[in-house]
Amino acid sequence: MSTAIDIAGPSFARSPSAATILARLGVPSDAAKVLIFGETSHWDPNWLRTADEYFEGQVVPVIRAVVSELTADPKRVFAFESTFFLERFWNAHPEHRDEIHALLQSRRLRLTGTGITTPDTVIPNPEAILRDYLLGQQWLRSIGVDDEPRVAYLPDDFGYAPSLPSLLAELGYSQAVITRVDGAHFIGADYRPTTAFPLPGSSADLLQNRLTSADFVWAAPDGREVLCHWNPFTYFQGDMLAYVGVIRWMGNTYGMSWRTGRHIARRVASYVDALSSLARTPYLFCPIGCDFNPPIPNLGFLLDRYNREVYPQTGVWLVSAGLDDYMDLVDTERGVLPRLELDVNPYWMGFYASRPEAKVRHHRVTRKLLAAEAEDAERRMTGEPACPRIDALKTRLWNDLAFANHHDFITGTSPDRVWLGEQAPLLRDAETSVDRWLAERPHRLAEPSARLARAPAGKLRLRRAGHVLTIEAPHGRLVFDEERGGCLVSWRTPDGTEHVRGPSLDLGLYRDTGGLWRLGHEFAGGRFGLLERGESRAVSVRATVMPGSVHLVHRDRFGGRTVERGVWVFADRPEIVVEVTGGLPLGTSMCVELETGLHAHQIDMDVPGGIVRRPWRKLYDPTFWPAFSFAHVCDETRGLAMFLAGPASVSATPSGRFTAMVQRNAPKEVAYGILPVLAHPARGTDPGFRVTCAVVPTDGPLSAPIGLARRAHDVLRDLALHGIGAGIERPLAETLVVDGDAFITALKPADRGPGYIVRLMGQPGAQVSLHGRRVTVKAAARCDARERDRHPLAVDNGHVALAMDGQTVSVRLELADDSAGGR
């Protein structure tokens, strides 16, 4: 990804817009610097504890303290990052509704984003992320709150999708604040000295050492952008403002209160010194808000006393304000900020594959729910009766999926007690519910997509000669060798091209002293290295020939545990499908590996909301990357793509090895064999789960990467029609037709306003036409993902003309004689 570097220095000239904001905040016009304390309380819906335990034990006391502090100090501002616990408190404690409503309406209690959670952005389906923010906004509207935040605060995510600016822009956000970027130091996470950070070549190194700016304009690969701030000194930098000791965490202070004027002045001086080194403007932001902490008592008194007694000497004015106030001030100096197309990964790599069930089920339920929702919408569009239970079911399931988006849920980083007691049952129940609904609604199963059939369908022939199995298919000749672990040793397409250069579809077991968050080689004293590969020993492969496919299965022992690998070869499609099932020994991870012979120095892949190109190595060797549905390596003449149903953790080497991590059983990070990693206290084991991927040759470099994303979308659906990987899925939007370089990823009745919402994924800049097959479009508008109309779209004889101004685009359609209406 390209990186633009701007070396302009700070500006101290006050623009008229900055003067207006400063006057509203009560800042004197002669202040040299303004230090904004943005106070929140970071809430994980279920991490070390369940949601019920957190709510009763931590959240209720915090919210009551917030209401009390804001009531006592009319100048004070406090923020909530998400709506999950706020909605729960609203429902459980109606006696506080009037106070909370008034505080929200006056914006003294603010939302830094409208998500149900602060979602992980590298793993979930992009539609699940968009719905997360829509659901929270709709709940605010339902209780009569008008606020529609422009800033999205994601303080604790373990890296961020480089396409996040595009998703946020599609939601109508113009500002973002993040904390955890690759190469940055985090308290208690590593035994290396702090001087070892930021790691050379990392995003933190770029921002901290080369650009010296914590503020920047963050551009996505499709060109959309948001103004972004990085918290370089954690999201709880200011928590110890009025204390001495170690930390405040979970409502406990590991130290003591210390509120003297001299102590506060020393703390402020340290914050100003640290933050000024990364500020191009006179505005500084100090976050307050570690996990489940209550507000600092009488914070306003401490700030007022400093301003009265110390400001005349320092010229630094302190204010309690919102994160959006800070971002608005910085925006007045936007011209001095660097503009970056930045990939702040890999922050941690282990969680990409921890608890694969969390990833696979979440992806699977999302796809099924999208199919059910689209089918219901089309029934309404064509005048057929809608299912009477679908609205309540959709609401519950989307709320469950949004809850599961959380950066300690889908990431697999909660302890066994929470995973087994709350998280896994929620996902399993969600899948049962949507499966039951689909079974009740008879539907003609679509034929597998014609786009997948690069060669005519035909008969498969299987020959066994000793330990060698050969499959002749219309799209190629494949050879598997039982003496080499049942591996694929030759894959020759009809044009004569050989696509493997060694035993492939092999299973590799790795020693991994990492834990739920990280692989062992990401921290000092950890270890990640190969233990064994299946190709080193002989196995017995069971072959089953079925109409149109051949299924190969073998079992092997890795570290004393049984692992099964299944391979499907089809007559009517070129993909080889692989499924891996089985448990691993503690302290290990498993990969599916291909020896491609491709001298690739980069990997193309899609991520939620975009397509990116990543280097084969960044910071770590091997470097694993989080993909969403496909990853692709190539040289000048040929390539190989993986389609991934989750987890999607891939790596490549210039020598040609292409790898996907499919299982992990690394319970807890341990350094040097004995030392615990204090920042990562959760421990979790995994019995193993069935993980599916597909592999297919390509012609080489991608001229239109969106085509591979569309193909991955179709493959995952069509495999389901064969009962592989994702269960029964159904096609989206049979009554709507898209002409152009885009396809439909969601169709639903509008939650806000009239008509239906169509979500498209396509090539940025493409001109697209959208029309009905059995319905007529009478009006259309470009809207955002919070379903607020931006501008009308031209409709000519039922055809909607649309320019793809990003990779993900939302459109509102109103139909002729539409009886469904809006909500």
Coordinates of all heavy atoms in Angstrom, one line a residue, residues 156-191:
D156 N -9.7 -0.5 21.5 CA -9.1 -1.7 21.9 C -9.0 -2.8 20.9 O -8.7 -3.9 21.2 CB -9.8 -2.2 23.2 CG -9.0 -3.2 24.0 OD1 -7.7 -3.0 24.0 OD2 -9.6 -4.0 24.7
D157 N -9.3 -2.5 19.6 CA -9.3 -3.5 18.6 C -7.8 -3.9 18.4 O -6.9 -3.1 18.5 CB -9.9 -3.0 17.3 CG -11.4 -2.9 17.4 OD1 -11.9 -2.8 18.5 OD2 -12.0 -3.0 16.3
F158 N -7.6 -5.2 17.9 CA -6.2 -5.7 17.8 C -5.8 -5.5 16.3 O -5.6 -6.5 15.6 CB -6.2 -7.2 18.2 CG -7.0 -7.5 19.4 CD1 -7.7 -8.6 19.6 CD2 -7.0 -6.6 20.5 CE1 -8.5 -8.9 20.7 CE2 -7.7 -6.9 21.7 CZ -8.5 -8.0 21.8
G159 N -5.6 -4.3 15.9 CA -5.4 -4.0 14.5 C -6.8 -3.6 13.9 O -7.8 -3.8 14.5
Y160 N -6.7 -3.0 12.7 CA -7.9 -2.5 12.0 C -7.8 -2.8 10.5 O -6.7 -2.6 9.9 CB -8.0 -1.0 12.3 CG -8.0 -0.6 13.7 CD1 -6.8 -0.4 14.4 CD2 -9.2 -0.4 14.4 CE1 -6.7 -0.1 15.7 CE2 -9.1 -0.1 15.8 CZ -7.9 0.1 16.4 OH -7.9 0.4 17.8
A161 N -8.9 -3.1 9.9 CA -8.8 -3.4 8.5 C -8.4 -2.1 7.8 O -8.9 -1.0 8.1 CB -10.2 -3.8 8.0
P162 N -7.5 -2.2 6.8 CA -7.1 -1.0 6.0 C -8.2 -0.3 5.3 O -8.1 0.8 4.8 CB -6.0 -1.5 5.1 CG -6.2 -3.0 5.0 CD -6.8 -3.4 6.3
S163 N -9.3 -1.1 5.1 CA -10.5 -0.5 4.4 C -11.5 0.1 5.4 O -12.6 0.5 5.0 CB -11.2 -1.7 3.7 OG -11.5 -2.7 4.6
L164 N -11.1 0.1 6.7 CA -12.1 0.7 7.7 C -12.5 2.1 7.3 O -13.7 2.4 7.5 CB -11.4 0.7 9.1 CG -12.3 1.2 10.2 CD1 -13.6 0.5 10.3 CD2 -11.5 1.1 11.5
P165 N -11.6 3.0 6.8 CA -12.2 4.3 6.4 C -13.3 4.2 5.4 O -14.2 5.1 5.5 CB -10.9 5.0 5.8 CG -9.8 4.3 6.5 CD -10.2 2.9 6.6
S166 N -13.3 3.3 4.5 CA -14.4 3.1 3.6 C -15.7 2.7 4.2 O -16.7 3.2 4.0 CB -14.0 2.1 2.5 OG -15.0 2.0 1.5
L167 N -15.6 1.7 5.1 CA -16.8 1.3 5.8 C -17.3 2.4 6.7 O -18.6 2.6 6.7 CB -16.4 0.1 6.7 CG -16.3 -1.3 6.0 CD1 -15.9 -2.4 7.1 CD2 -17.5 -1.7 5.3
L168 N -16.5 3.1 7.4 CA -17.0 4.2 8.2 C -17.6 5.3 7.4 O -18.6 5.9 7.7 CB -15.8 4.8 9.1 CG -15.3 3.8 10.2 CD1 -14.1 4.5 10.9 CD2 -16.4 3.4 11.1
A169 N -17.0 5.6 6.2 CA -17.5 6.6 5.4 C -18.9 6.2 4.8 O -19.8 7.0 4.7 CB -16.6 6.9 4.2
E170 N -19.0 4.9 4.5 CA -20.3 4.4 4.1 C -21.4 4.5 5.2 O -22.6 4.6 4.9 CB -20.2 3.0 3.6 CG -21.4 2.3 3.0 CD -21.9 3.1 1.8 OE1 -21.2 3.8 1.1 OE2 -23.2 3.0 1.5
L171 N -20.9 4.5 6.4 CA -21.9 4.6 7.5 C -22.1 6.1 7.9 O -23.0 6.4 8.7 CB -21.3 4.0 8.8 CG -21.4 2.4 8.8 CD1 -20.4 1.9 9.8 CD2 -22.8 2.0 9.3
G172 N -21.4 7.0 7.2 CA -21.6 8.4 7.5 C -20.7 9.0 8.5 O -20.9 10.1 9.0
Y173 N -19.7 8.3 8.9 CA -18.7 8.8 9.9 C -17.6 9.5 9.1 O -17.1 9.0 8.0 CB -18.1 7.6 10.7 CG -19.0 7.0 11.7 CD1 -19.8 5.9 11.4 CD2 -19.2 7.6 12.9 CE1 -20.7 5.4 12.3 CE2 -20.1 7.1 13.8 CZ -20.9 6.0 13.5 OH -21.8 5.4 14.4
S174 N -17.1 10.6 9.7 CA -16.0 11.3 9.0 C -14.7 11.3 9.9 O -13.7 11.8 9.5 CB -16.4 12.8 8.8 OG -16.9 13.4 10.0
Q175 N -14.8 10.7 11.1 CA -13.7 10.8 12.0 C -13.6 9.4 12.7 O -14.6 8.7 12.9 CB -13.9 11.8 13.1 CG -14.1 13.2 12.5 CD -14.7 14.2 13.6 OE1 -15.2 13.8 14.6 NE2 -14.7 15.5 13.3
A176 N -12.3 9.0 13.0 CA -12.1 7.8 13.7 C -10.9 7.9 14.7 O -10.0 8.7 14.4 CB -11.8 6.7 12.7
V177 N -11.0 7.2 15.8 CA -9.9 7.2 16.7 C -9.5 5.7 17.1 O -10.4 4.9 17.3 CB -10.3 8.0 18.0 CG1 -9.1 7.9 19.0 CG2 -10.6 9.4 17.7
I178 N -8.3 5.4 17.0 CA -7.8 4.0 17.2 C -6.6 4.0 18.2 O -6.1 5.1 18.5 CB -7.3 3.4 15.9 CG1 -6.2 4.2 15.3 CG2 -8.5 3.4 14.9 CD1 -5.6 3.7 14.0
T179 N -6.3 2.9 18.7 CA -5.2 2.8 19.6 C -4.1 1.8 19.2 O -2.9 2.1 19.0 CB -5.7 2.4 21.0 OG1 -6.6 3.3 21.5 CG2 -4.5 2.3 22.0
R180 N -4.5 0.5 18.9 CA -3.6 -0.6 18.8 C -3.1 -0.7 17.3 O -3.9 -1.2 16.5 CB -4.2 -1.9 19.3 CG -4.5 -1.9 20.7 CD -5.1 -3.2 21.1 NE -5.5 -3.4 22.5 CZ -4.7 -3.8 23.5 NH1 -3.5 -4.2 23.2 NH2 -5.2 -4.0 24.7
V181 N -2.0 -0.1 17.0 CA -1.4 -0.3 15.6 C -0.1 -1.1 15.7 O 0.5 -1.2 16.8 CB -1.1 1.1 15.0 CG1 -2.4 2.0 15.0 CG2 0.0 1.8 15.7
D182 N 0.2 -1.7 14.6 CA 1.3 -2.7 14.6 C 2.6 -2.0 15.0 O 2.9 -0.8 14.6 CB 1.5 -3.3 13.3 CG 1.8 -2.3 12.2 OD1 0.9 -1.6 11.7 OD2 3.0 -2.3 11.7
G183 N 3.4 -2.7 15.8 CA 4.7 -2.2 16.3 C 4.7 -1.3 17.5 O 5.7 -0.9 17.9
A184 N 3.5 -1.0 18.0 CA 3.4 -0.1 19.2 C 3.6 -0.8 20.5 O 3.3 -2.0 20.6 CB 2.0 0.6 19.2
H185 N 4.1 -0.1 21.5 CA 4.3 -0.7 22.8 C 2.9 -0.7 23.5 O 2.2 0.2 23.4 CB 5.3 0.1 23.6 CG 5.5 -0.4 25.0 ND1 4.9 0.2 26.1 CD2 6.1 -1.5 25.5 CE1 5.2 -0.5 27.2 NE2 6.0 -1.5 26.9
F186 N 2.7 -1.8 24.3 CA 1.5 -1.8 25.1 C 1.9 -2.4 26.5 O 2.7 -3.3 26.6 CB 0.4 -2.7 24.5 CG -1.0 -2.4 25.1 CD1 -1.7 -1.3 24.6 CD2 -1.5 -3.1 26.2 CE1 -3.0 -1.0 25.2 CE2 -2.7 -2.8 26.7 CZ -3.5 -1.8 26.2
I187 N 1.4 -1.7 27.5 CA 1.8 -2.0 28.9 C 1.6 -3.5 29.2 O 0.5 -4.1 29.0 CB 1.0 -1.2 29.9 CG1 1.3 0.3 29.7 CG2 1.3 -1.6 31.3 CD1 0.4 1.3 30.4
G188 N 2.6 -4.2 29.7 CA 2.5 -5.5 30.2 C 2.4 -6.6 29.2 O 2.1 -7.8 29.5
A189 N 2.7 -6.3 27.9 CA 2.5 -7.2 26.8 C 3.8 -7.9 26.3 O 3.8 -8.8 25.5 CB 1.8 -6.6 25.6
D190 N 5.0 -7.4 26.8 CA 6.2 -7.9 26.3 C 7.3 -7.6 27.3 O 7.3 -6.6 28.0 CB 6.6 -7.2 24.9 CG 7.4 -8.0 24.0 OD1 8.6 -8.3 24.4 OD2 7.0 -8.4 23.0
Y191 N 8.3 -8.5 27.3 CA 9.4 -8.4 28.2 C 10.6 -7.6 27.6 O 11.6 -7.4 28.2 CB 9.9 -9.7 28.8 CG 8.9 -10.3 29.8 CD1 7.9 -11.2 29.4 CD2 8.9 -9.9 31.1 CE1 7.0 -11.7 30.4 CE2 8.0 -10.3 32.1 CZ 7.1 -11.2 31.7 OH 6.2 -11.7 32.6

